[in-house]
Amino acid sequence: MAPYSHLLQPVQLRHKTLRNRVVFGAHTTNMAQDGLPGAAHCAYYLERALGGAAMIVVEPMPVHASAVLTRGNFRPASDEVIPHFRKLVEPCQRAGAVMIQQLYHVGAHGDQDNSWHAAWSPSGGVSYHDSDASHAMSESEIEEIIEGFVQAALRCQKAGFDGVEVWAAYHCLLDQFWTPFSNTRDDKWGGSLENRTRLSREILARIRCACGEDFIIGLSVNDEPGVEVALSRESMSEIIALHDAQGLMDYVTVGSGSYFDFSRLIPSFQEGELLGVDLAETLKGATPQALVTAESHIRTPDNANTVLGAGQADLVSIVRGQIADPHLVNKAAMGRGADIRGCLSCNQQCWGRRGRDYWISCLINPSVGREAGWGGDRFTPVQTSKTVLVVGAGPAGLEVARVAAERGHRVTLAEAGPVAGGQFRLAGLQPRRAQILDLLSWYERQLSKLGVDQRFNTYLDADDIVAFGADEIILATGSLPTETGFQKALPHLTELPGLDCGHIWSAEDVLTKRARLGRQVIVLDEGGNWRGCGTAWYLAEAGHQVTLVSPDAMVGKELQRSSTDFALRRALAERDVRFIVDAAITSWTGQGAQILSLLTGRTETFAASDLIMATPNHADMSLRDALLPAGKTPHLIGDANAPRLAAQAIYEGHATGLKL
């Protein structure tokens, strides 16, 4: 049997034939400008259509003013969106994708600071989005919402969409009506199964009546087995079977998590894979008419093909996988699975940027969100090929070497160490982060195919670089620990008292095994991110007794944006890591540390054999400074430019490669 034979098999969905079984599912990109899709939106979705996705579900359209959730939402209840969506839809259809738009109402969980409208819900329940409560809907307001869904569907049809997906997942409005916890009504909209499903059934039936037979209607639901008040799989199966028996939808999409447990809604590498598959398989047995789409942490074509081959679903939704590599489907179809740039499930630039009210991007693929300006995730050959010398094979150096070679430059990549990756490789040694190592292997394969001259164990000084005679010199030499013990919380201490006592290490020392550690260790985490927190996890798994000290009010503060902080703290707590927050270290004795409470000003001594300082590094600009007197002005990228996270390093590598 040919590779990915199940994945690549066409399937009929109402009046449309999908060219394969891969869906690019709905997710908010936050790219809208004044509530309208623009050039960035159009290019973003077109790239995935060109990449082979059979069906694209465009991010949700609020159906009512009370449904607005994000600044980047499309305008609700406005015909002004129609011509703008037409510009998005038609090119994607010409590229072979069936185009669907999701319609949603989040119910009690709306952002009232954003919408300036009370959130509407079945029974006035509390929001799990913030500290607000909601407005219990009257029957006339329920009718208003039904009409909102119908009118939104008609706008989608006028814009050229092939159908709509009605959102009933994650404990949104429709799920709130379905769920006895959030629906305590005693009228015809609450109580019995028939009453609790009346709203969703009425919406789907009226959309069909308004839009006709040649229009796809989907329904999205979720699996939340770990939350007692959420619907069980058996209850969800009964609800969906009722809708299917009445022929109300053409497909149902199954995700995971919800507002009750947001970390599983967009699961990171901390979670297992294939999270929506169990419920999808259950629903497939209960829905003889509708197709079933499995969604949630199905990262790869191999994952997807296995799910389809086992008969657990009819379709698979790969979202972050096609964000990371929009040409995933075509590469699979061409037998180029090894060329697919695999998602890290890190959430740092997709959900992490969206959660900060930016448009989404991708840590490993900075063309995401920039397709309109960069020409998609593709390259235009240069007219004049140059010789390019890249010094340093961390993420910035690897990306600039790849992009420059893709465009036709002759590239040499020199790395002082024995392997590629730099500090990014060290991050891949932390628990459950081995997908980073997979990415580095991908880079090595791509550079080899592109003919990049990769030289490891090759230290170059300024004279060597000048003698090389490259047309372009790119320094991606990274950063170094400060080794002063300076802490932002104690700016008056330029050095940590007790440095000369020894047994003070950097996170890099720990992960490279240069550090020889005793059993009791203190990790000072000044970043609130994976550098310190992941190192503490690594040490705890290795059997050390770890005390994690942070100047922040919570451990993993910076990881909140990627929804990975709670799972991290749980993992650390399970390994008996002690947390000391709102704190700094005032001195080190070689046998312990004086820890200052930033709240009370009191200090306490904690015994430890070693102190690990996860504080900001400084850029290694030594080569730059040595080259300038020789009349050479190199490009500085990544941590050599300024120490930051991998996303900025890969972005600068890509952007620099495009400019050469």
Side-chain angles (χ1 to χ4, degrees), residues 58 221 324 393 406:
V58 173
V221 300
E406 287 273 15

Side-chain angles (χ1 to χ4, degrees), residues 432-451:
R432 298 193 62 83
R433 302 193 74 192
Q435 291 169 14
I436 292 173
L437 306 182
D438 294 338
L439 176 68
L440 296 177
S441 296
W442 176 83
Y443 269 114
E444 292 169 3
R445 290 193 300 273
Q446 300 308 301
L447 297 185
S448 295
K449 288 177 63 174
L450 292 166

Side-chain angles (χ1 to χ4, degrees), residues 258-342:
S258 72
Y259 282 102
F260 293 130
D261 181 5
F262 203 87
S263 64
R264 290 174 65 86
L265 200 158
I266 310 171
S268 77
F269 59 84
Q270 299 153 294
E271 302 286 347
E273 296 189 346
L274 311 181
L275 293 184
V277 172
D278 287 343
L279 179 57
E281 185 174 21
T282 298
L283 296 188
K284 196 170 184 305
T287 55
Q289 299 186 70
L291 298 183
V292 176
T293 304
E295 187 173 70
S296 188
H297 225 188
I298 302 174
R299 297 189 311 112
T300 67
D302 295 280
N303 286 161
N305 199 62
T306 298
V307 170
L308 294 167
Q312 295 171 293
D314 302 295
L315 300 164
V316 289
S317 175
I318 303 176
V319 177
R320 285 174 296 172
Q322 290 184 92
I323 294 175
D325 194 331
H327 300 278
L328 176 150
V329 180
N330 283 347
K331 288 178 180 179
M334 291 185 287
R336 295 173 50 208
D339 289 336
I340 295 171
R341 183 198 295 111

Side-chain angles (χ1 to χ4, degrees), residues 558-570:
E558 287 298 306
L559 299 178
Q560 283 183 288
R561 65 182 67 172
S562 57
S563 296
T564 55
D565 59 303
F566 179 77
L568 164 79
R569 289 192 296 274
R570 181 171 54 197

